[in-house]
Amino acid sequence: MTNQLSERVYTGLREEIISGRIAMGERLRETHLAMRMKVSRTPIREALQQLAAEGLVEVDDQGFHASIYSAARVAEIYGCRALLESESARLVAQTGLNSEAQIELEQAVGFCDRLLADARAKGMISDPDVRRAFLEQNNIFHSVLHAACPNRMLRELIRQVGDIPASIRNYFRFSDDQLLESHTAHRRILRALIARDGERAAAQMREHIWAARDRMDPAAFRKFTEASSAIPMPPMASEANRVTSNEQGNDDEKQQVAS
């Protein structure tokens, strides 16, 4: 039971960090979390230690807090993604897509074909709803491809490297043309996968991830880091503040999307 409880607490906190409900830099007080999740402090401490081992949580003199990502750290993450996901694409192409994965990938690409064609015709590619819809399909595309990788260890490494707070995408700047190019890259990768051309699939995926990394906005990271150090973090952000932060993130997506 203890192991199941610890796993539930770990999974819940991890999802809150990845989704952004727990903000970067937010203090993670064991007592507060235990009261909120209606558990003792032991599973909370175990979960925080596990999350710290994964890099999602950091420890300082005041205790645990959600990790703050610098531009350099995110660039390193994208560099690792480029290596891991290109190898995954190569293996998937070499092994061959199963019919279910191919259908899901084709549906994601087809949806974006229609979405972006309609948005271009209406001059609405910068519309936040269009950006959000594309981001959702982008995530589906990559998730399906990761799941199709025949190497279990590689799948786990990709998950560990790729699981960073969703709010990170607010530090990337994509123009309309760059958004269209990101979609074109998905089509190229899919063609290579279907053709079972492993080296081409790997090259296309590597360039796709590198292109996303190059659209990072270091100034936005610096602004966040300076604001975080200037204002003391509260013991735990209120639910109202989290909602406000999430709403702001949605507005920002007009010019942003991450691969």
Side-chain angles (χ1 to χ4, degrees), residues 38-222:
K38 297 181 172 60
V39 297
S40 70
R41 292 176 60 180
T42 298
I44 295 293
R45 186 178 305 110
E46 291 174 348
L48 291 175
Q49 290 171 344
Q50 187 172 349
L51 291 167
E54 294 181 9
L56 290 171
V57 165
E58 296 172 353
V59 187
D60 58 23
D61 293 340
Q62 299 180 51
F64 295 98
H65 66 268
S67 294
I68 296 176
Y69 290 74
S70 66
R73 180 177 178 182
V74 174
E76 289 178 349
I77 288 171
Y78 270 72
C80 290
R81 280 189 59 192
L83 292 171
L84 296 171
E85 294 187 43
S86 62
E87 175 61 10
S88 175
R90 187 187 70 79
L91 291 176
V92 171
Q94 186 179 71
T95 305
L97 280 169
N98 62 53
S99 58
E100 182 179 357
Q102 182 170 332
I103 289 171
E104 289 182 293
L105 291 171
E106 289 174 338
Q107 287 177 339
V109 170
F111 179 93
C112 289
D113 280 337
R114 296 186 294 275
L115 172 75
L116 297 177
D118 182 63
R120 287 186 75 178
K122 296 177 180 177
M124 295 178 61
I125 293 180
S126 292
D127 183 83
D129 289 337
V130 172
R131 295 280 176 129
R132 279 191 288 271
F134 176 81
L135 178 61
E136 180 180 346
Q137 297 303 314
N138 173 83
N139 292 340
I140 290 173
F141 182 91
H142 286 273
S143 295
V144 170
L145 190 49
H146 297 166
C149 177
N151 185 315
R152 182 184 61 82
M153 182 60 71
L154 184 54
R155 290 198 305 270
E156 178 60 21
L157 289 172
I158 290 172
R159 183 191 72 83
Q160 290 179 15
V161 170
D163 280 353
I164 57 178
S167 55
I168 289 293
R169 67 175 176 265
N170 293 330
Y171 303 102
F172 288 75
R173 305 294 172 181
F174 277 65
S175 68
D176 290 353
D177 287 343
Q178 289 169 334
L179 181 65
L180 293 170
E181 175 54 34
S182 181
H183 173 56
T184 298
H186 285 175
R187 280 199 268 113
R188 291 172 182 155
I189 292 166
L190 180 56
R191 283 200 300 269
L193 293 171
I194 293 173
R196 301 191 67 167
D197 187 338
E199 296 307 319
R200 184 176 167 208
Q204 295 286 359
M205 178 61 77
R206 189 161 46 246
E207 179 57 34
H208 179 50
I209 301 298
W210 280 342
R213 180 197 60 187
D214 292 344
R215 290 161 192 154
M216 189 170 56
D217 182 1
F221 278 91
R222 286 196 298 273

